[in-house]
């Protein structure tokens, strides 16, 4: 097990410079909207570029920037326009009948992190991908929506989640609720994606039993998750996240797998592979 690494102190001047540089990088290309949590991970990568190891190696890192220090630096720079991270959606209450549900929906995205869902919408992914974006508080899915999707040929519900036990639990829950008539696929993250992209994956989270995780995952990935490590969607650079999710919901091809293909059972349940760097 990798030992815990304490946050490294950074002078304010250096931290402020890294913060501004990270904000510019998050916004590329074309002035993308991004959250403060995404900016935190990008600032950590700017100060401590542990992600720049050889692509052939598969590993995750630990964030070395103190979160309170980052929050203090961000407060010093109100000119940086970031989306809020703490998004508390209003409880969903089904509205009156609408002819909206008379149409067929070919795809739907359920995003675990409300802040990331807001970032995807702010960057117009739901329009470019012709894909509504929902968050877990909208579960169980409206029966009218499920019926509309069932009328579409090859409709798919995509689940976008952290590489965490909670993220996998959300995928399993959506799959069970959708029933056998709809395909449900995970758009990631999975431990293999985090390792291929060299993402920061903090430890110290509550552990779980390996048996509680989906049997479709390879044993090494289940052990990684059971050990209390989590890779957040926010750790992926905004441009890469948008590009990958858009290609996923459109059904586009992916780059070669990050590692040898998983067993057929895993492929059949929709565990996708994100592009490698």
């Amino acid at each position: 097990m990798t030992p815990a690494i304490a946050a490294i102190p950074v002078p304010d001047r250096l931290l402020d410079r890294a913060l501004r540089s990270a904000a510019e990088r998050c916004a590329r290309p074309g002035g993308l909207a991004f959250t403060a949590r995404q900016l935190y991970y990008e600032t950590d990568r700017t100060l401590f570029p542990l992600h720049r190891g050889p692509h052939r190696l598969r590993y995750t890192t630990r964030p070395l920037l103190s979160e309170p220090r980052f929050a203090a630096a961000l407060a010093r720079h109100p000119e940086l326009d970031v989306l809020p991270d703490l998004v508390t959606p209003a409880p969903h209450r089904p509205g009156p009948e609408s002819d909206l549900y008379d149409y067929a929906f070919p795809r739907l995205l359920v995003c675990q992190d409300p802040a990331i869902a807001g970032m995807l919408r702010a960057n117009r992914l739901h329009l470019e991908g012709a894909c509504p974006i929902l968050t877990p508080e909208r579960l169980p899915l409206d029966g009218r929506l499920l019926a509309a999707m069932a009328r579409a040929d090859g409709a798919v519900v995509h689940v976008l989640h952290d590489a965490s036990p909670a993220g996998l639990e959300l995928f399993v829950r959506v799959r069970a609720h959708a029933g056998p008539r709809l395909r449900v696929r995970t758009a990631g993250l999975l431990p293999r994606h985090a390792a291929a992209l060299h993402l920061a994956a903090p430890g110290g989270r509550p552990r779980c039993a390996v048996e509680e995780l989906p049997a479709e995952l390879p044993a090494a990935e289940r052990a990684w998750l059971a050990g209390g490590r989590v890779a957040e969607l926010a750790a992926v650079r905004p441009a890469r996240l948008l590009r990958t999710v858009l290609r996923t919901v459109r059904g586009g091809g992916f780059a070669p797998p990050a590692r040898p293909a998983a067993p057929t059972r895993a492929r059949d349940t929709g565990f996708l592979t994100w592009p490698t760097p």
Side-chain angles (χ1 to χ4, degrees):
M1 185 169 95
T2 304
I5 302 176
I8 295 179
V10 179
D12 285 350
R13 188 173 180 178
L14 178 59
L15 176 54
D16 288 355
R17 185 185 309 162
L19 179 68
R20 291 191 296 268
S21 176
E24 293 175 2
R25 194 172 292 113
C26 281
R28 297 174 189 162
L32 297 177
F34 54 90
T35 71
R37 190 67 177 168
Q38 290 177 305
L39 180 58
Y40 164 72
Y41 280 111
E42 190 60 42
T43 304
D44 183 76
R45 281 190 291 265
T46 301
L47 289 167
F48 311 106
L50 303 179
H51 63 291
R52 292 182 179 172
H55 294 167
R56 67 180 181 277
L57 298 181
R58 300 290 178 252
Y59 66 88
T60 56
T61 67
R62 298 291 180 92
L64 301 179
L65 173 62
S66 162
E67 293 189 31
R69 288 292 314 286
F70 168 78
L74 185 59
R76 292 195 297 269
H77 292 274
E79 75 280 3
L80 297 179
D81 186 19
V82 299
L83 297 170
D85 277 320
L86 298 178
V87 178
T88 306
H92 174 61
R93 295 181 177 86
E97 291 291 333
S98 168
D99 60 359
L100 175 66
Y101 294 102
D102 293 337
Y103 296 92
F105 287 93
R107 48 190 171 264
L108 176 71
L109 179 68
V110 178
C111 183
Q112 178 187 7
D113 185 344
I116 292 297
M119 174 264 183
L120 298 177
R121 295 190 195 101
N123 289 295
R124 303 174 67 85
L125 183 135
H126 59 303
L127 299 178
E128 288 192 48
C131 180
I133 301 173
L134 304 182
T135 44
E137 87 282 351
R138 296 290 298 269
L139 298 176
L141 297 173
D142 192 305
R144 297 170 298 173
L145 178 59
L146 291 175
M149 293 194 70
R151 289 194 294 271
D153 185 28
V156 180
V157 180
H158 299 280
V159 184
L160 183 64
H161 55 80
D162 297 338
S164 67
L168 270 295
E169 190 275 333
L170 174 64
F171 167 68
V172 171
R173 183 155 52 106
V174 173
R175 184 173 60 179
H177 175 63
R181 297 178 61 188
L182 289 178
R183 288 187 297 161
V184 178
R185 307 192 74 185
T186 171
L189 284 170
L190 294 174
R192 73 192 71 159
H193 308 144
L197 298 174
H198 300 172
L199 297 183
R205 304 292 180 91
R207 295 170 177 262
C208 70
V210 171
E211 295 76 16
E212 297 175 7
L213 298 167
E216 296 95 338
L217 281 177
E221 296 194 51
R222 284 188 287 157
W224 189 93
L225 290 166
R229 302 178 72 181
V230 169
E232 299 177 39
L233 289 167
V236 183
R237 281 182 173 158
R240 180 180 292 277
L241 180 65
L242 286 164
R243 182 171 63 249
T244 302
V245 175
L246 186 59
R247 292 177 67 186
T248 299
V249 299
R250 283 179 171 174
F254 281 79
R259 61 173 205 169
T264 302
R265 185 180 180 191
R267 291 200 303 271
D268 287 346
T269 52
F271 288 95
L272 304 181
T273 301
W274 284 37
T276 55

